[in-house]
Amino acid sequence: MGMRKLGLAAAAFTLGLAGGASADSGSFGDWAVVCDNVQVCTAMGFGDLEEMGSSALLKVRREAGPAAEPTISLITAGTAAATLRLAVDGASPSGLTAIPATPLEEDAERRLTELTPAQTRALLAVLVNGRTLTLMEGQNPAATISLAGSSAALRFMDDRQGRAGTTTALVARGPRPAADVPAPPQPPVIKLAPAVAQARLPTKPSLAMQAQLRDCDDDILDLGIEPEVARLAQGKIFWGMVCSRGAYNVIYRLFLTDETGGGVQALTLDYPGGEATSELMNISFDPKTQTLMNFDKGRGLGDCGALTEWVWTGQRFDVAHQTFMPECQGVMSDYWPVSYRSR
């Protein structure tokens, strides 16, 4: 099962974040791992890529800290409830022979399976030394997940959470006590500004703003793509102006103006990794929550890339949340792991 690598600058394997913390991601064989800025880590194995997306997604998730235990969940393709049997290299560990797969309310094409703590331990015991995990539905295989790289992926989690050499490690286990595992860092606190009325917004960019788009695509204003416009505060208007367009990404240039479109200022904000930008792909703004969102698509299917949110604090846009998928494996964004969080 070949991995399709994401080629976005925003998808660097190490994302430096505010406060000196970092969110790491890596690929190991047929597995990928994402750890966020508070060291919550998710390792993922993927099923075969089918017309409607990946046939399965296995997620091993663990929070940071001495007492945190791993959890395993499975997303499988299917519209009806089923009972699954999990087999590693043809053998089913005890307790993994009658596991329910329940349809998801928000996705008619997918089912969720959540293993109990005992089932999680049973699967982890054999997963890292196996070659293939098969999800059996009756006598038929519902999905197959390669285990190549699973051991390295879980070892990566152990390392990032400071578990290597302790009794809590998944792979890099040693004699040191759980008390040696560091406590998780705290997420940054962000206070959003109150929402303001959006009545009588300007509808057309001023000549001064249009002048800022001279180096954009020549025909961009002729395409008729409406700008994103919102009032952040009285006298402060946010503009997202389309500057260029690719096969599946529309790139917006960001500005702040007064109520009449004057006093044009380029708006610069930071990604979780600290990269400053005044342009974003595929944006939307929710004035009720003062939240600016963008979707950096790794390819047209939208199964890899990053979804990032910034909130207006009254002074600036602070990054608040991001989900990230480093591998183009047919997994839709609803199931991507968190790579940055705040509170």
Side-chain angles (χ1 to χ4, degrees):
M1 185 193 307
M3 296 291 271
R4 296 169 177 83
K5 305 299 181 186
L6 174 62
L8 289 176
F13 273 44
T14 300
L15 302 175
L17 300 170
S22 65
D24 297 327
S25 69
S27 296
F28 305 90
D30 293 328
W31 279 57
V33 186
V34 174
C35 295
D36 70 11
N37 56 315
V38 294
Q39 296 173 359
V40 177
C41 292
T42 304
M44 297 168 286
F46 307 92
D48 297 326
L49 187 58
E50 300 177 345
E51 183 178 353
M52 296 300 293
S54 179
S55 62
L57 171 66
L58 185 150
K59 298 169 73 172
V60 182
R61 183 182 183 277
R62 195 175 198 180
E63 297 188 5
E69 294 292 338
T71 62
I72 292 181
S73 60
L74 288 155
I75 303 292
T76 52
T79 59
T83 298
L84 301 179
R85 175 170 62 88
L86 308 188
V88 175
D89 299 337
S92 293
S94 177
L96 299 179
T97 58
I99 301 176
T102 304
L104 287 161
E105 292 184 5
E106 65 274 17
D107 188 340
E109 303 292 333
R110 295 286 180 268
R111 304 173 301 193
L112 172 65
T113 296
E114 295 181 304
L115 300 191
T116 66
Q119 291 169 338
T120 295
R121 290 190 294 270
L123 184 55
L124 286 173
V126 296
L127 182 147
V128 295
N129 294 315
R131 297 185 301 275
T132 303
L133 172 65
T134 305
L135 313 181
M136 299 296 297
E137 190 171 338
Q139 299 301 313
N140 302 312
T144 299
I145 296 173
S146 169
L147 299 179
S150 59
S151 178
L154 298 178
R155 190 180 294 272
F156 180 95
M157 289 176 58
D158 287 340
D159 176 74
R160 292 306 188 268
Q161 294 184 333
R163 300 184 187 282
T166 74
T167 57
T168 74
L170 299 177
V171 178
R173 191 171 293 114
R176 290 165 45 215
D180 284 359
V181 177
Q186 294 300 305
V189 177
I190 298 175
K191 185 176 181 180
L192 61 87
V196 295
Q198 299 295 307
R200 296 185 296 278
L201 285 172
T203 57
K204 293 183 179 180
S206 64
L207 292 177
M209 190 180 305
Q210 292 182 41
Q212 301 285 331
L213 305 175
R214 289 197 188 102
D215 58 341
C216 295
D217 291 353
D218 292 338
D219 63 344
I220 203 67
L221 292 178
D222 299 330
L223 295 177
I225 302 176
E226 293 293 327
E228 193 78 15
V229 187
R231 182 175 290 108
L232 303 176
Q234 192 62 40
K236 191 178 294 291
I237 305 297
F238 164 80
W239 292 82
M241 296 294 302
V242 177
C243 183
S244 60
R245 184 178 64 170
Y248 44 82
N249 285 311
V250 176
I251 299 175
Y252 292 77
R253 191 164 287 180
L254 311 178
F255 301 98
L256 296 176
T257 72
D258 60 25
E259 295 283 347
T260 65
V264 179
Q265 296 177 326
L267 172 63
T268 301
L269 42 75
D270 292 334
Y271 273 105
E275 305 94 340
T277 183
S278 58
E279 294 183 343
L280 289 176
M281 297 178 183
N282 311 317
I283 69 169
S284 62
F285 185 83
D286 182 354
K288 294 180 180 178
T289 61
Q290 297 278 56
T291 301
L292 173 64
M293 295 154 279
N294 96 301
F295 189 177
D296 289 304
K297 289 185 181 180
R299 63 175 182 171
L301 184 61
D303 63 336
C304 54
L307 280 159
T308 311
E309 297 179 2
W310 294 261
V311 297
W312 178 250
T313 65
Q315 301 296 324
R316 61 185 182 274
F317 279 102
D318 280 350
V319 64
H321 191 265
Q322 185 184 72
T323 58
F324 176 49
M325 177 56 72
E327 305 294 342
C328 303
Q329 287 289 326
V331 177
M332 295 299 102
S333 59
D334 288 346
Y335 310 117
W336 294 0
V338 173
S339 53
Y340 185 85
R341 69 184 72 223
S342 63
R343 57 186 173 92

